[in-house]
Amino acid sequence: MMTATVTEQDVTFTPSGVKVDILSTHDDGEYFMVRSKTTGKVFFAHKNQIDQKTKDSKESSEQAKPVKARRGRQVVKPQVPAPNRFNLNAATPELLTQVLPGVGLKTANEIIELRMSLPGERFTKLEQLRQIKHINWDEILSDSIYVE
């Protein structure tokens, strides 16, 4: 009898801090196909990049819902992001000053300039912000800030 793991989950893609849903498991649990809860983007993540902060409960495969395989292109509608979370890659200087405590317009412009100087003009990790030295990022960064 096969068993499936069902989770009441709060799963995070650790490189960017984005909350995701696990869609499927591949290569004997080495990789996950995940969907961003904020944008609906589907991508693969290694098991070391996934942080699950919930209890797992075992269920038999007969009780679990079967997943139907679809052929062709699947369209994923983006979900509306929670109002208290924002994507650092989509933020304007004005939004940064409103959301990040202690960040003024000058520092917000430095953040935007740093973002534009990166490959693809996007942050890939929140740790890249630490290049701006005069801010205590440990106090500012929280679960409401993410990059995608």
Side-chain angles (χ1 to χ4, degrees):
M1 174 184 290
M2 305 241 339
T3 60
T5 303
V6 176
T7 57
E8 306 274 331
Q9 54 197 13
D10 183 22
V11 181
T12 305
F13 180 63
T14 54
S16 62
V18 175
K19 302 292 184 194
V20 296
D21 291 321
I22 296 177
L23 302 176
S24 60
T25 306
H26 300 271
D27 293 337
D28 297 324
E30 193 74 17
Y31 291 93
F32 297 103
M33 179 184 283
V34 295
R35 177 185 301 134
S36 167
K37 288 186 177 184
T38 55
T39 64
K41 180 180 172 184
V42 177
F43 56 96
F44 284 95
H46 189 268
K47 67 181 179 182
N48 295 341
Q49 296 174 315
I50 298 295
D51 183 22
Q52 296 181 358
K53 296 192 180 206
T54 57
K55 297 184 253 179
D56 292 339
S57 62
K58 297 283 184 176
E59 241 185 45
S60 70
S61 61
E62 289 86 283
Q63 295 173 351
K65 270 186 152 178
V67 177
K68 291 184 180 180
R70 291 185 57 188
R71 295 181 65 182
R73 183 174 179 190
Q74 295 181 10
V75 177
V76 178
K77 294 181 182 177
Q79 298 175 353
V80 177
N84 61 346
R85 295 194 70 206
F86 79 100
N87 183 353
L88 197 59
N89 285 322
T92 62
E94 293 78 21
L95 179 62
L96 291 172
T97 60
Q98 294 171 2
V99 176
L100 300 175
V103 171
L105 193 55
K106 181 179 175 184
T107 306
N109 284 328
E110 286 181 46
I111 293 170
I112 299 299
E113 287 174 16
L114 174 62
R115 179 176 73 195
M116 294 302 178
S117 71
L118 295 171
E121 297 183 347
R122 303 182 63 77
F123 290 108
T124 54
K125 298 183 221 173
L126 290 174
E127 295 301 316
Q128 292 172 314
L129 287 169
R130 297 193 188 276
Q131 293 179 21
I132 300 173
K133 300 288 184 196
H134 56 89
I135 299 291
N136 185 355
W137 292 108
D138 294 329
E139 290 180 7
I140 294 177
L141 297 178
S142 64
D143 287 338
S144 64
I145 302 167
Y146 69 95
V147 294
E148 187 168 285

